């Protein structure tokens, strides 16, 4: 039976960041990924935004990991030549009754340590983005965009250079985390792998994974919710904007906003479609709803020009009408199993937070006991 110090389940952006951090710490790490490539699920179906850390409750893990992770990520991308830009974003109030929400957002940002947010008048908004309609806005200079695939490839290279092994098409189908010299994992097509530490970064599959593991207290797992986010793009692929444009937040998300990729192509989304399934198709008839929402801040949008782009599924710990839940990292203090950390509900701002979450996971593990 092959054995390693730590197995990381999931090769999305967070799993790769965790593997890199633990390998750089000198641990023998194996990453098990069920799919045939890295980052094919939530990590490749998002807006590729580097968030500033504006919206999240003060002291929450989302707030602390996002604010710290943003600077760690900018530094990492600059150091490793991962394509990124501090493009900035505008959070736009389109009616007078939304002004108090801008004030609340600004106060929340300040409480979280985001010190560069500033108010923008309607006149300045027209100067910055002439096509945007609004009574005022907040400008976030530290919001940016990143090549998500390039970031994951860089994290993978770093992890492998530090000695980590990444096994694709390797789905965990069983195992035991009961007390003993080694935990064991049964891996489809591979066999049994022993490890002293286990980190689950399985995203939407986190609940299924712990259900396969004898000795894991599944009654401690949080409720599972899934939100589908659909994206549309202008048929031309372009828009008249130089920054990201966000409305004020809505239940379950940040509203249908405009983002730009590294090539300058525009995309709108995601919306929030609560689901129990895994369908990733985009219904073209949703374009009319998208256009209605977008028209509040971009009157010039034409719903006939919006074409389906892609969709993603977000693992959530709260459902419709419920307060947004925080990231959940269940470690030994939570479930009583030494050497095991399970991440639940890693949605936005997970990409921004990936390096900070990796730091937090490393802190939760007793590295001396894993060798």
């Amino acid at each position: 039976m092959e054995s390693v110090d730590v197995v990381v389940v999931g090769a999305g952006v967070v799993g790769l960041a965790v593997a890199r951090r633990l390998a750089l710490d000198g641990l023998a790490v194996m990453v098990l990924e069920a799919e045939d490539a890295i980052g094919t699920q939530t990590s490749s179906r998002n807006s590729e935004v580097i968030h500033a850390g504006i919206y999240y409750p003060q002291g929450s893990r989302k707030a602390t990991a996002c604010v710290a992770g943003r600077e760690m990520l900018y530094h990492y991308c600059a150091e490793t030549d991962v394509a990124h830009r501090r493009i900035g974003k505008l959070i736009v109030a389109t009616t007078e009754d939304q002004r108090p929400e801008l004030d609340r957002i600004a106060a929340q940002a300040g409480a979280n340590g985001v010190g560069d947010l500033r108010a923008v008048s309607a006149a300045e908004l027209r100067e910055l983005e002439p096509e945007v309609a609004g009574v005022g806005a907040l400008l976030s200079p530290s919001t940016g965009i990143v090549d998500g695939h390039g970031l994951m490839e860089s994290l993978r290279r770093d992890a492998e250079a530090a000695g980590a092994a990444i096994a694709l098409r390797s789905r965990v189908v069983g195992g035991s985390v009961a007390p003993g010299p080694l935990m064991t994992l049964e891996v489809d097509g591979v066999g049994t792998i022993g490890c002293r530490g286990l980190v689950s970064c399985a995203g939407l599959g986190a609940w299924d994974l712990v259900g396969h593991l004898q000795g894991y207290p599944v009654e401690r797992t949080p409720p599972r919710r899934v939100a589908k986010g659909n994206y549309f793009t202008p048929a031309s692929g372009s828009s008249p904007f130089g920054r990201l444009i966000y409305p004020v937040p809505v239940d379950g998300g940040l509203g249908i906003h405009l983002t730009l990729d590294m090539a300058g192509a525009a995309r709108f989304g995601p919306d929030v479609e609560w689901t129990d399934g895994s369908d990733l198709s985009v219904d073209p008839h949703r374009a009319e709803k998208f256009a209605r929402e977008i028209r509040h801040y971009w009157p010039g949008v034409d719903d006939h020009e919006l074409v389906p782009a892609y969709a993603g599924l977000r693992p959530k710990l709260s459902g419709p009408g419920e307060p947004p839940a925080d990231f959940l990292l269940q470690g030994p203090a939570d479930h009583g199993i030494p050497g095991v950390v399970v991440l639940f509900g890693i949605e936005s701002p997970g990409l921004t937070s990936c390096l900070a979450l990796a730091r937090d996971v490393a802190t939760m593990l007793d590295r001396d006991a894993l060798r």
Side-chain angles (χ1 to χ4, degrees), residues 76-150:
Y76 177 79
C77 289
E79 195 174 57
T80 57
D81 293 325
V82 173
H84 69 288
R85 287 167 54 201
R86 288 190 190 241
I87 195 171
K89 85 172 177 183
L90 288 161
I91 306 169
V92 179
T94 58
T95 60
E96 288 294 336
D97 61 2
Q98 290 181 343
R99 283 188 183 275
E101 183 66 9
L102 288 187
D103 294 337
R104 189 200 66 78
I105 291 170
Q108 188 65 67
N112 291 346
V114 182
D116 60 354
L117 211 63
R118 71 173 181 88
V120 170
S121 68
E124 185 181 1
L125 177 61
R126 285 192 296 272
E127 290 178 7
L128 293 173
E129 297 288 353
E131 294 291 324
V132 172
V135 299
L138 293 172
L139 176 63
S140 171
S142 56
T143 298
I145 55 176
V146 64
D147 174 2
H149 183 73

Side-chain angles (χ1 to χ4, degrees), residues 6-10 14-15 18 197-203 205-210 213 216 328-330 339-344 346 361:
V6 184
V7 166
V8 176
V9 180
V14 175
V18 169
L198 171 65
V199 181
S200 168
C201 300
W207 288 262
D208 289 340
L209 174 65
V210 297
L213 300 177
Y216 194 91
L328 177 60
L329 277 61
Q330 281 192 344
V340 175
V341 178
V342 181
L343 284 68
F344 291 105
I346 309 301
V361 167

Side-chain angles (χ1 to χ4, degrees), residues 95-350:
T95 60
E96 288 294 336
D97 61 2
Q98 290 181 343
R99 283 188 183 275
E101 183 66 9
L102 288 187
D103 294 337
R104 189 200 66 78
I105 291 170
Q108 188 65 67
N112 291 346
V114 182
D116 60 354
L117 211 63
R118 71 173 181 88
V120 170
S121 68
E124 185 181 1
L125 177 61
R126 285 192 296 272
E127 290 178 7
L128 293 173
E129 297 288 353
E131 294 291 324
V132 172
V135 299
L138 293 172
L139 176 63
S140 171
S142 56
T143 298
I145 55 176
V146 64
D147 174 2
H149 183 73
L151 172 61
M152 288 189 284
E153 286 292 350
S154 182
L155 293 170
R156 175 183 185 166
R157 288 194 298 270
D158 286 354
E160 291 179 329
I166 298 175
L168 304 176
R169 296 180 292 278
S170 299
R171 185 181 300 275
V172 177
V173 295
S176 173
V177 293
L182 285 178
M183 293 178 272
T184 59
L185 299 174
E186 301 300 326
V187 183
D188 190 26
V190 175
T192 304
I193 295 175
C195 56
R196 296 176 180 83
L198 171 65
V199 181
S200 168
C201 300
L204 291 159
W207 288 262
D208 289 340
L209 174 65
V210 297
H212 292 322
L213 300 177
Q214 295 180 17
Y216 194 91
V218 292
E219 68 276 6
R220 299 283 184 91
T221 59
R224 181 181 186 266
R225 304 284 188 266
V226 179
K228 180 179 179 181
N230 299 280
Y231 290 83
F232 280 78
T233 188
S236 65
S238 64
S239 77
F241 306 113
R243 297 167 184 81
L244 311 185
I245 311 296
Y246 279 56
V248 296
V250 299
D251 179 31
L254 299 181
I256 295 175
H257 47 267
L258 170 111
T259 60
L260 304 169
D261 65 17
M262 292 305 303
R267 54 198 168 190
F268 293 98
D271 60 356
V272 179
E273 181 184 353
W274 297 101
T275 180
D276 294 325
S278 57
D279 178 20
L280 288 171
S281 63
V282 178
D283 180 357
H285 293 98
R286 298 182 78 86
E288 184 178 349
K289 177 185 175 184
F290 266 64
R292 279 200 309 270
E293 296 297 318
I294 296 164
R295 199 167 286 121
H296 290 305
Y297 60 84
W298 184 23
V301 68
D302 183 348
D303 56 314
H304 299 296
E305 289 297 315
L306 296 179
V307 296
Y310 59 94
L313 298 175
R314 309 195 285 277
K316 287 183 170 285
L317 306 185
S318 56
E322 298 174 349
D326 201 3
F327 293 153
L328 177 60
L329 277 61
Q330 281 192 344
D334 304 299
H335 48 57
I337 307 169
V340 175
V341 178
V342 181
L343 284 68
F344 291 105
I346 309 301
E347 49 164 336
S348 180

Side-chain angles (χ1 to χ4, degrees), residues 9-66:
V9 180
V13 67
V14 175
L16 292 167
V18 169
R20 170 186 175 271
R21 174 62 185 256
L22 297 178
L24 289 171
D25 284 348
L27 295 169
V29 178
M30 175 176 287
V31 181
L32 299 176
E33 168 55 52
E35 304 299 330
D36 59 4
I38 64 171
T40 63
Q41 302 297 314
T42 304
S43 293
S44 62
R45 295 177 171 273
N46 55 45
S47 300
E48 296 183 300
V49 171
I50 301 177
H51 290 284
I54 295 168
Y55 306 97
Y56 318 109
Q58 183 181 7
S60 67
R61 192 179 291 274
K62 281 186 176 180
T64 57
C66 184

